[in-house]
Amino acid sequence: MTVLIERARNAAGLLAAFNDAGVLALADVHVADRVARLGGEPDETVRLAVALTVRALRLGSVCVELATARRTTTSEEEVDLSTLPWPEPPAWRAACDRSPIVAAAGESGRPLRLVRGLLYLDRYWREEELVRRQLQQRAAAPPPPVDLTQLRTDLGRLFEPGGEKQRLAAAVSALRRVTVLAGGPGTGKTTTIARLLAVLCAQPGEPPRIALAAPTGKAAARLEEAVRSSGVPLPDLRASTLHRLLGRRPGSRTRFKHHAAHRLPYDVVVVDETSMVSLTLMARLIEAVRPDARLILVGDPDQLASVEAGAVLGDIVAAKGEPSPALAAALAGVGETGEVVNGVVTLDRVWRFGGDIARLATAVRAGDDDAVVALLRSGSGEVEFVESAAVSGLRTEVVEALATVAEAASGGDAVAALHALEQHRLLCAHRRGPYGVTRWTAEIESWLPADRLTDLSPGRPLLITANDYDAGLYNGDTGVVIQTPDGLRAAFARGGEVMLIPPSRLSEAQPLYAMTVHRSQGSQFDRVSLVLPPATSPLLTRELFYTAVTRARTGLRILGTEDAVRAAVTRPIARASGLRDTLTERART
Ligand SMILES: Nc1ncnc2c1ncn2[C@@H]1O[C@H](COP(=O)(O)OP(=O)(O)OP(=O)(O)O)[C@@H](O)[C@H]1O
């Protein structure tokens, strides 16, 4: 998240120095000052630690590691951070340790907490502990009762040779309470979800009550549609957002109707696009899932993590550990031999595409910038690298695609218009500025005929920017204005069907000519063009680049410099959290 760094007028000493260097924002300084004043903490090194913790949360980390902060802190301005007056780590840690505002093990009621050299706001430490405890308790609990003969038969019936990892994931989901199904696009995650649900439904007894959920409405709609069209016979399943599943409470984003004392009534809870789930939401979810239910977390840990703090899926997948002997024995009993640590099964065979986009995604994930640049310059039909400022290729493609959308929309063919809208998407890292969505939206509008530029023009592409539960629209939904016999309607795809809404009923919509990579998560397009910002942009990271590349099914155009590409590929987001280490620690005991 880019935040304008304003100068804090009243800050002095260390806080002022870090604020001047563009490390601390005004809000970081103010929160630290306030917390320290209320708690009677005069030490400015502790205030600095608090401000850095508040800042870390703003940037997606859950905590700050005091010993490495000097090396790992980055600035949104180009300044040499090593010249800043960093406190010496041992003295800094000792000052935090004895501070009246910092709790240590066994203490409570203080706003911060220091654990193994990691400084947390206490609330986030408690959430991380809750997630860790829940995962470990569920791993240690006896597996849900399973008819092994039936399971073996169904695994053999539903998974063909070539899909061994998929079959293993299904077996784990039957034999363990928490399963993590990880994999990139096209590796068969949704196919596996459908088949593993069929395996669970085929067990003797009452069919399980199943919930399908995802962090965004768009991802939920996609999951529901994919499971329905998988060809696997299943009961009619609806998917919802996680917020809706947990039961929204008006006025609160972190309190829900379902919680530890009022659990969800499901036997199986499947969450797709888990990489986008923040620590706070994961804590609320996991405590609301019944202890004897099966929780199946699905996602791509290499994608951008949640906008809010935490990267729980990435942490679980990265946590080390030993395979559990009990699970290994149970798996062997149904003919499975794969090693499973912490319930994680990673699918690595790409079924959908195997061309240069997939090769590029693999090279990006591996951080191999030479291979990425070579692939981009290979002249492949799938991947194009536009290193100059020339936009003629992009312009032709955008104008033609939008003309197809407009033609179908004017003829009242909503299905064809929505389909054409998914043919190509322009993605940007930034929202504003010369490389951002706003500027590119204006540029594309300048390429189009004037009569297609009002919100009431057939063919006008729309992006919904807020949830509207009454209208059944979600933030991130994309649609198009079409001509119908009853007048103009906004058309949106819904599980293979089209939903038509009078444009006057759309409360929060904007024209969709470009979108941020963050917003594109959970969607795919036939062709994608990606505008890269300069190499110095702090938003340019490996996860962002990987997410953008993997949105494309058949064609990808990168507009940017070699420097920008190399910067992106070699700059993974480092999100600090204690979860991956604590999961590992306990797994060894
Ligand atoms: N075992 C399999 N045998 C044959 N085809 C498969 C198998 N598994 C998946 N596929 C096919 O591969 C394609 C991608 O599968 P699927 O949609 O399940 O992947 P995914 O990981 O959910 O992808 P994404 O994250 O992009 O939605 C689909 O066309 C699916 O039918």
Side-chain angles (χ1 to χ4, degrees):
M1 193 191 313
T2 315
V3 168
L4 196 63
I5 300 290
E6 283 180 57
R7 302 291 167 248
R9 248 176 287 141
N10 300 331
L14 276 180
L15 289 181
F18 279 75
N19 178 223
D20 284 343
V23 174
L24 294 177
L26 203 58
D28 309 333
V29 174
H30 284 173
V31 174
D33 256 343
R34 208 174 144 71
V35 169
R37 218 168 324 120
L38 287 174
E41 173 53 84
D43 187 326
E44 64 168 354
T45 66
V46 177
R47 287 180 186 224
L48 174 65
V50 177
L52 288 173
T53 307
V54 175
R55 169 190 190 269
L57 287 164
R58 180 163 63 71
L59 300 177
S61 288
V62 171
C63 54
V64 164
E65 183 170 24
L66 297 176
T68 57
R70 182 186 195 131
R71 268 187 290 117
T72 54
T73 303
T74 52
S75 166
E76 284 153 29
E77 293 174 22
E78 286 179 52
V79 286
D80 181 0
L81 298 183
S82 64
T83 61
L84 284 171
W86 290 96
E88 282 307 317
W92 200 11
R93 187 169 166 170
C96 289
D97 241 341
R98 60 175 179 263
S99 169
I101 57 174
V102 179
E107 291 174 341
S108 60
R110 300 184 184 191
L112 285 109
R113 183 167 293 268
L114 185 64
V115 187
R116 300 183 327 275
L118 303 175
L119 188 65
Y120 292 80
L121 287 195
D122 191 56
R123 181 193 128 188
Y124 289 88
W125 176 78
R126 279 187 280 116
E127 287 176 350
E128 198 176 272
E129 275 296 286
L130 188 151
V131 170
R132 178 190 64 72
R133 226 179 19 249
Q134 287 278 343
L135 287 171
Q136 287 173 340
Q137 282 170 357
R138 285 163 198 258
V146 173
D147 180 328
L148 295 174
T149 312
Q150 183 73 44
L151 175 60
R152 192 176 185 134
T153 306
D154 293 324
L155 291 172
R157 175 173 63 85
L158 285 157
F159 294 91
E160 58 282 278
E164 284 77 14
K165 282 279 189 79
Q166 298 179 327
R167 200 180 61 213
L168 176 64
V172 173
S173 73
L175 297 168
R176 203 178 189 273
R177 291 176 193 247
V178 181
T179 305
V180 176
L181 178 58
T187 50
K189 297 186 296 300
T190 324
T191 308
T192 308
I193 294 174
R195 293 184 190 177
L196 72 80
L197 290 176
V199 167
L200 296 177
C201 288
Q203 283 287 307
E206 284 287 303
R209 285 161 297 175
I210 298 170
L212 300 180
T216 68
K218 178 115 185 166
R222 193 164 168 250
L223 171 65
E224 182 179 309
E225 191 180 339
V227 168
R228 196 172 299 148
S229 59
S230 64
V232 179
L234 282 170
D236 189 27
L237 294 172
R238 306 269 150 189
S240 68
T241 62
L242 280 169
H243 283 86
R244 191 158 239 211
L245 177 75
L246 293 172
R248 285 178 305 126
R249 277 211 190 151
S252 174
R253 294 188 61 232
T254 51
R255 300 258 152 250
F256 297 97
K257 288 189 190 131
H258 290 283
H259 44 73
H262 179 46
R263 291 222 162 84
L264 290 162
Y266 297 103
D267 305 304
V268 180
V269 176
V270 179
V271 180
D272 199 8
E273 301 286 354
T274 309
S275 58
M276 294 163 77
V277 178
S278 68
L279 173 64
T280 301
L281 189 53
M282 183 60 82
R284 298 290 81 83
L285 169 72
I286 203 163
E287 67 178 354
V289 173
R290 283 205 335 255
D292 59 339
R294 292 181 169 90
L295 175 62
I296 300 164
L297 303 173
V298 185
D300 183 352
D302 293 309
Q303 279 195 36
L304 283 166
S306 62
V307 176
E308 281 143 32
V312 179
L313 181 73
D315 285 345
I316 302 175
V317 172
K320 297 197 182 62
E322 304 291 331
S324 129
L327 180 63
L331 286 170
V334 291
E336 298 297 323
T337 51
E339 283 207 337
V340 179
V341 174
N342 295 328
V344 177
V345 178
T346 301
L347 304 180
D348 42 20
R349 172 168 176 178
V350 179
W351 294 85
R352 191 185 291 126
F353 48 51
D356 283 339
I357 296 176
R359 273 191 278 280
L360 189 66
T362 305
V364 173
R365 216 169 36 200
D368 187 345
D369 54 331
D370 288 338
V372 169
V373 170
L375 266 163
L376 288 177
R377 293 212 176 116
S378 66
S380 126
E382 277 191 14
V383 179
E384 186 190 348
F385 190 20
V386 182
E387 296 179 70
S388 67
V391 293
S392 56
L394 173 69
R395 177 177 176 152
T396 306
E397 174 151 22
V398 166
V399 170
E400 280 176 8
L402 289 171
T404 312
V405 175
E407 197 182 319
S410 302
D413 190 342
V415 173
L418 286 168
H419 180 71
L421 191 63
E422 304 293 293
Q423 300 297 293
H424 175 265
R425 185 63 41 89
L426 179 64
L427 301 181
C428 304
H430 291 239
R431 220 172 317 158
R432 285 179 267 280
Y435 304 90
V437 167
T438 317
R439 183 248 148 154
W440 278 94
T441 297
E443 179 91 19
I444 291 174
E445 288 189 327
S446 77
W447 300 340
L448 298 175
D451 65 348
R452 294 233 306 270
L453 294 178
T454 73
D455 284 343
L456 298 178
S457 320
R460 177 81 154 171
L462 300 171
L463 172 69
I464 299 299
T465 54
N467 290 337
D468 179 347
Y469 292 96
D470 293 338
L473 287 173
Y474 300 107
N475 188 354
D477 272 343
T478 57
V480 62
V481 177
I482 63 157
Q483 188 70 56
T484 77
D486 302 324
L488 291 174
R489 292 288 181 272
F492 297 88
R494 273 292 170 274
E497 306 200 342
V498 174
M499 184 168 80
L500 296 176
I501 295 180
S504 57
R505 281 196 52 207
L506 300 178
S507 43
E508 305 279 348
Q510 64 187 43
L512 167 70
Y513 294 112
M515 63 164 48
T516 59
V517 178
H518 274 94
R519 227 185 230 294
S520 72
Q521 262 182 299
S523 300
Q524 274 198 314
F525 313 97
D526 286 346
R527 294 182 47 80
V528 164
S529 298
L530 170 68
V531 174
L532 289 180
T536 50
S537 164
L539 287 186
L540 197 56
T541 60
R542 183 183 302 163
E543 287 78 1
L544 178 121
F545 195 53
Y546 173 82
T547 302
V549 165
T550 53
R551 298 309 91 206
R553 285 198 201 96
T554 59
L556 175 70
R557 175 190 290 112
I558 306 285
L559 300 107
T561 63
E562 178 185 336
D563 279 354
V565 169
R566 288 190 187 274
V569 175
T570 51
R571 194 189 288 153
I573 298 176
R575 285 200 167 189
S577 91
L579 191 58
R580 64 180 66 182
D581 289 335
T582 48
L583 275 175
T584 302
E585 260 173 31
R586 308 295 158 108
R588 282 202 210 102
T589 58

